[in-house]
Amino acid sequence: MTSAIVVSGLHKSYGSTHALDGLDLDVATGEVHGFLGPNGAGKSTTIRVLLGLLKGDEGDVSLLGGDPWRDAATLHRRLAYVPGDVNLWPNLTGGEVIDLLGRLRGGLDPKKRDDLLRRFDLDPTKKGRTYSKGNRQKVALVAALASDVELLILDEPTSGLDPLMEEVFRQCIEDERQRDRTVLLSSHILSKVEALCDRISIIRKGKVVETGTLADLRHLTRTSIQAELAASPNGLAQLPGVHALDVQGNRVRCEVDTAQLDAVMRQLSASGIRSLVAQPPTLEELFLRHYEDDTIASEPEVAVR
Amino acid sequence: MKDFAGTKTLVRLALRRDRVLIPLWIVVFAGMAASSAQASIELYPDVQSRVEAAETANSSPALVSLYGRIWDPTSLGELSLFKLTSFGALLVGLLAAMLVVRHTRTEEETGRLELLSAGVIGRYAAVTAALLVSGLTVVLVGLLTALSLIGVGLPAAGSLAFGLTWISGGLAFAGIAAVIAQLTEGARTANGLVAIVLGISYVLRALGDSAADGSTQWASWLTPIGWAQQIRPFASDRFAVALLPLALLAVLVFAAFALLRRRDVGAGLVRPRPGPAVAAAWLRSPLALAWRLQRGALYGWTFAFLLLGFLVGNIASNVDGFVSSESAKEMIQKLGGVQEITDAFLSTEMGVMGLLASAFGIQAALRLRSEETALRAEPLLATGITRTSWLASHVVMALSGTGILILAGGLGSGISSGAELGNMGRQVPPMLAAAAVQLPAIWIVTALVVLLFGLAPKLVTGAWVLFGFFLLIGQFGPLFDPPDAVMDISPYAHTPRLPGSDFSATPVIWLTATAAVLLLTGATTFRRRDIG
């Protein structure tokens, strides 16, 4: 299998801030790759280097077989990009922006454009300054998805979308996967991308710390459970995979490794479940737990920079 | 009163944000007046030398239309400061208006005001706070200027009247900006409209001053700039005239409040209409986009330049009617006759148009940076266009735009003076040539923006500072008799003075080559730097 994006040992500093600190990333052709990390981890910086907008200080970057810094314009005809912060020209309409970006990229499919406008429920006649954040994002998404390109680079594309539109977006990405397009999808929320992605890379402080399929990364996902029971719970503490257990009378809070979820639910329902909230922890929480354990166990806290 | 709640907080916020800017401007203005007065006092030690200088100035249509008349030729104060009376009022007006727009419409457009409005902030608080901050700045500028003039030895009453002249211009335009800021959704448009009103005011003032006795002198009384000048500091010190701008300010503040009551936060008075759902077929290149983004401004500026040209040509064709007294006619003969004076007037005015066109060039080229910082360049540069072609798009708009403007000015003045004198063929081509020779210097200033954009993008607005410096040494440099090397820093110093003197290709070629080098350096460094 060939790779659409190969990054190795990428460094990038702004003054004394090391935004990227030896980043490695490998995105195979035809896969949907999740690029995950908390805010400020270096996701957008990496993407800007991939687009040739920034020049890396050190390391090798290859995009669609070319050098994104040297061959920027040629490579850009084969990809589409949706920035995290979409700003539009105040007096151009959404439709005009979609067409302009499409044409500058080398053309877009008018049928697909109309179809996407309908699916995203976007009015293309409104002026840029009158769109809300979510609608500006839709403009950029329609422009990108209506282009006939090999690679989509999407930087937090759903951050302004409502749940209904997130669902539309998911379907669109599913369609792209069917067409064997490569997609790099950045996000700081694991649950938003885990169902979409073939593989995931997790970035923290300018380095990719985990990469693999979701199954490979199962050990990272825990579900946080809040339950109110009919009787006080028993035996929970003895179960493997239960963390941060907090029992107050009939109320239980805990974090459960996904692999142990079934056993824990049985145990809970044995006491009679009155109410239950289960949610995936945020990446930040995951990092805190996962890596704090690591650093405490293996090495004394060393200043990262 | 609840409509004004939070005004104090917003005033503090504005002062905090502008804590460097406002004191800096106050010192610059007061220093400009004081140093100019100091130099003139040394230059004209006795009454006779003053009268002579004042009469020379009054018989030059170029000086009178640019700065206004000297009402009392014996007055040292007036001779030292007539160049800064209405021109200074214009600059203070610009400062006051920009401050108001900056703290009202800009805040609203960026959404920051909305964030604040969710707190305890009354409906009128933002406008009131902006007016207070702007008014405070203007009053301090006026007071400090008056004090510094008294300090260098000018009469106290005249100095205070002079300070009041600037305050008048400033307060009136603060009010005008407060109303304009209610009309448009974009701060850029609001600033543009303010500049247009300022320009019209100044031109009407020039029309009033340049009028042959009795004809269009009423034009001096139409605008705040005219009123400010009619205080006539150091001549008759008519303090009461300042009531006119004050009354205007009061009316405008109420108008602004009334407009505010009728609109939503973030909205203008004109509701934006839906536009085309599909882009026009020609909107398919960076240049087409730059044209689409900048054409509105270019249309407006071109119209203004045509008008200005017409006005200049009209004044030029009436130079002999301009002076009526015998002594002034003698003066004209001494200065080389009517033709000579007309040419001097036209070449001076062409130079002024060159400066104005440069302002357009700087603004158009600065679009590069504002597109970059607004993150609108990024998605464009992620498409199949090269950095160079994106950069070139706005540079082409700036360079060709300034060309269109200056030629429109030349054409307008050629046509109107040709029509008056009944000979188009003899007036139009020389005026077009006089316009065209301004271009290399304009392009150098525009190219400086591009150079900074490539080399030091964070300092790109420094181009305005350089432009202001060139302007100052051009207008006021001679007062201080600096070495030639200093005067020669300004590209405008090398522009051939057409019509009237011989054309020399050498400076034009050198200026153009310099502009080209600056542009290429800017483009090359831009290709190598990070975006953002």
Side-chain angles (χ1 to χ4, degrees):
Chain A
M1 193 145 81
T2 55
S3 292
I5 297 173
V6 185
V7 179
S8 58
L10 182 62
H11 286 261
K12 176 74 188 172
S13 313
Y14 302 102
S16 59
T17 324
H18 297 283
L20 298 181
D21 191 15
L23 179 122
D24 302 305
L25 180 67
D26 191 330
V27 177
T29 307
E31 76 173 354
V32 179
H33 195 105
F35 191 38
L36 288 167
N39 295 323
K43 299 189 295 291
S44 295
T45 305
T46 309
I47 287 179
R48 287 188 173 126
V49 174
L50 287 174
L51 290 168
L53 297 168
L54 304 179
K55 190 166 167 51
D57 298 336
E58 250 179 78
D60 296 316
V61 184
S62 146
L63 177 99
L64 299 174
D67 176 348
W69 179 257
R70 216 187 45 226
D71 316 321
T74 358
L75 292 174
H76 290 168
R77 295 183 168 271
R78 298 161 60 192
L79 64 83
Y81 164 57
V82 174
D85 275 317
V86 181
N87 276 338
L88 304 177
W89 296 273
N91 48 0
L92 259 67
T93 65
E96 287 180 299
V97 173
I98 291 169
D99 288 345
L100 175 73
L101 289 177
R103 288 169 188 172
L104 293 179
R105 210 174 271 136
L108 84 185
D109 178 354
K111 240 184 74 204
K112 214 170 159 195
R113 172 192 192 269
D114 294 344
D115 178 51
L116 285 162
L117 283 175
R118 200 174 36 74
R119 283 166 80 179
F120 278 110
D121 192 22
L122 179 71
D123 178 358
T125 64
K126 283 173 77 180
K127 297 276 171 72
R129 69 159 60 92
T130 59
Y131 282 119
S132 66
K133 174 173 164 49
N135 280 332
R136 290 202 301 269
Q137 208 145 27
K138 287 186 202 170
V139 170
L141 278 171
V142 172
L145 293 170
S147 309
D148 185 23
V149 290
E150 298 162 44
L151 170 66
L152 289 167
I153 297 182
L154 313 174
D155 193 359
E156 310 220 4
T158 60
S159 59
L161 299 185
D162 61 40
L164 220 65
M165 287 304 146
E166 269 181 44
E167 188 47 40
V168 175
F169 171 77
R170 275 168 39 88
Q171 287 162 10
C172 289
I173 297 302
E174 204 51 55
D175 295 349
E176 297 301 320
R177 192 215 307 277
Q178 302 299 323
R179 295 196 191 94
D180 287 331
R181 304 258 167 86
T182 311
V183 182
L184 179 67
L185 181 59
S186 96
S187 178
H188 59 276
I189 303 168
L190 180 60
S191 63
K192 287 207 176 170
V193 295
E194 60 184 347
L196 279 173
C197 296
D198 302 310
R199 288 201 309 147
I200 288 171
S201 289
I202 296 181
I203 174 175
R204 177 172 184 259
K205 293 186 177 172
K207 257 185 210 157
V208 167
V209 288
E210 297 276 349
T211 188
T213 64
L214 207 62
D216 297 337
L217 301 181
R218 268 301 167 207
H219 68 282
L220 268 183
T221 59
R222 283 179 193 171
T223 306
S224 92
I225 305 260
Q226 263 179 278
E228 211 181 315
L229 306 175
S232 59
N234 46 47
L236 270 183
Q238 282 78 47
L239 286 177
V242 175
H243 311 266
L245 181 64
D246 176 20
V247 181
Q248 295 190 341
N250 291 356
R251 289 170 173 232
V252 181
R253 281 163 168 274
C254 60
E255 308 275 337
V256 181
D257 288 349
T258 310
Q260 305 300 326
L261 207 50
D262 190 45
V264 173
M265 294 312 287
R266 272 174 222 274
Q267 196 71 41
L268 286 173
S269 67
S271 308
I273 300 175
R274 286 277 164 77
S275 78
L276 179 72
V277 179
Q279 57 189 16
T282 64
L283 267 186
E284 293 280 12
E285 285 173 316
L286 269 178
F287 281 132
L288 278 176
R289 300 220 175 84
H290 195 74
Y291 295 100
E292 244 173 23
D293 299 349
D294 274 6
T295 42
I296 291 167
S298 58
E299 55 187 274
E301 184 68 43
V302 182
V304 179
R305 57 183 79 98
Chain B
M1 259 345 263
K2 70 179 193 318
D3 281 340
F4 293 96
T7 305
K8 216 160 97 185
T9 318
L10 290 184
V11 168
R12 281 208 210 104
L13 175 68
L15 290 176
R16 167 68 181 70
R17 286 182 59 206
D18 290 343
R19 67 195 186 285
V20 179
L21 200 73
I22 289 177
L24 186 73
W25 279 116
I26 293 174
V27 171
V28 165
F29 273 106
M32 188 163 73
S35 58
S36 179
Q38 181 71 49
S40 305
I41 290 170
E42 286 159 15
L43 211 57
Y44 307 109
D46 53 57
V47 177
Q48 205 199 329
S49 64
R50 281 175 224 159
V51 172
E52 201 168 303
E55 287 196 336
T56 314
N58 275 344
S59 52
S60 154
L63 285 179
V64 170
S65 70
L66 261 186
Y67 304 116
R69 256 173 217 288
I70 296 176
W71 307 98
D72 177 1
T74 61
S75 160
L76 176 60
E78 215 184 353
L79 180 63
S80 355
L81 290 161
F82 81 103
K83 282 188 173 179
L84 279 175
T85 313
S86 52
F87 186 62
L90 173 89
L91 293 179
V92 176
L94 185 67
L95 171 66
M98 295 296 164
L99 276 174
V100 169
V101 173
R102 175 176 155 83
H103 291 294
T104 53
R105 185 49 78 174
T106 309
E107 288 299 277
E108 220 169 313
E109 195 184 14
T110 53
R112 287 193 289 255
L113 188 64
E114 195 175 318
L115 188 70
L116 291 170
S117 297
V120 188
I121 298 288
R123 197 198 309 259
Y124 301 149
V127 173
T128 313
L131 281 167
L132 284 175
V133 168
S134 173
L136 177 76
T137 308
V138 163
V139 168
L140 285 177
V141 165
L143 276 182
L144 209 77
T145 303
L147 288 178
S148 67
L149 291 181
I150 296 172
V152 298
L154 291 177
S159 301
L160 287 172
F162 184 82
L164 192 64
T165 305
W166 281 9
I167 294 175
S168 298
L171 291 183
F173 277 96
I176 288 169
V179 170
I180 286 177
Q182 311 308 318
L183 302 180
T184 65
E185 285 197 349
R188 190 185 284 275
T189 323
N191 280 329
L193 285 177
V194 167
I196 289 174
V197 177
L198 272 166
I200 291 175
S201 304
Y202 204 73
V203 166
L204 284 175
R205 198 256 339 127
L207 191 68
D209 280 326
S210 315
D213 283 339
S215 59
T216 50
Q217 274 169 349
W218 46 266
S220 293
W221 290 93
L222 288 181
T223 65
I225 300 285
W227 300 337
Q229 187 198 23
Q230 291 301 330
I231 293 175
R232 301 189 185 176
F234 301 108
S236 30
D237 297 338
R238 304 193 286 191
F239 287 96
V241 177
L243 291 174
L244 281 171
L246 279 178
L248 178 71
L249 174 66
V251 171
L252 290 171
V253 169
F254 278 106
F257 285 171
L259 290 171
L260 251 180
R261 273 199 304 279
R262 282 170 180 72
R263 69 177 185 87
D264 299 333
V265 172
L269 269 201
V270 195
R271 219 160 249 303
R273 278 177 318 220
V278 181
W282 55 265
L283 188 59
R284 57 184 324 116
S285 67
L287 185 59
L289 176 65
W291 164 251
R292 175 79 164 72
L293 295 176
Q294 304 217 21
R295 64 179 178 191
L298 186 60
Y299 291 155
W301 279 75
T302 308
F303 181 66
F305 265 72
L306 266 177
L307 273 188
L308 188 61
F310 275 119
L311 189 81
V312 164
N314 189 279
I315 295 173
S317 55
N318 289 320
V319 162
D320 41 352
F322 174 79
V323 278
S324 44
S325 73
E326 275 309 309
S327 65
K329 284 212 166 99
E330 253 169 55
M331 186 69 78
I332 285 190
Q333 286 313 319
K334 226 163 55 185
L335 290 173
V338 170
Q339 187 57 44
E340 193 97 337
I341 291 214
T342 309
D343 284 348
F345 171 73
L346 284 173
S347 71
T348 308
E349 295 293 339
M350 265 302 151
V352 171
M353 285 193 217
L355 292 172
L356 290 173
S358 308
F360 173 85
I362 293 174
Q363 187 198 293
L366 278 176
R367 259 299 171 103
L368 287 168
R369 181 62 180 162
S370 63
E371 290 283 290
E372 185 186 2
T373 52
L375 301 178
R376 289 192 289 253
E378 198 174 281
L380 285 178
L381 293 172
T383 67
I385 63 171
T386 59
R387 288 192 184 196
T388 311
S389 68
W390 177 72
L391 178 101
S393 69
H394 287 285
V395 171
V396 165
M397 277 307 293
L399 298 185
S400 59
T402 52
I404 291 171
L405 294 185
I406 198 78
L407 290 176
L411 187 69
S413 52
I415 288 179
S416 78
S417 64
E420 290 282 324
L421 303 173
N423 191 342
M424 290 287 182
R426 269 199 48 199
Q427 294 296 317
V428 175
M431 285 317 292
L432 285 178
V437 295
Q438 309 292 329
L439 273 175
I442 299 173
W443 284 347
I444 284 189
V445 175
T446 310
L448 279 172
V449 177
V450 181
L451 178 77
L452 286 171
F453 179 67
L455 272 179
K458 287 194 178 116
L459 302 178
V460 74
T461 41
W464 281 119
V465 178
L466 289 172
F467 175 62
F469 174 68
F470 295 151
L471 191 118
L472 282 181
I473 57 175
Q475 306 289 309
F476 302 106
L479 264 183
F480 303 97
D481 197 19
D484 283 351
V486 173
M487 296 296 289
D488 284 350
I489 293 174
S490 167
Y492 303 102
H494 307 279
T495 298
R497 309 206 148 270
L498 295 184
S501 56
D502 291 333
F503 171 74
S504 143
T506 320
V508 173
I509 291 169
W510 273 110
L511 289 172
T512 313
T514 310
V517 169
L518 295 175
L519 281 174
L520 285 178
T521 315
T524 317
T525 46
F526 172 64
R527 269 213 326 265
R528 296 193 185 139
R529 74 166 170 84
D530 288 346
I531 304 289

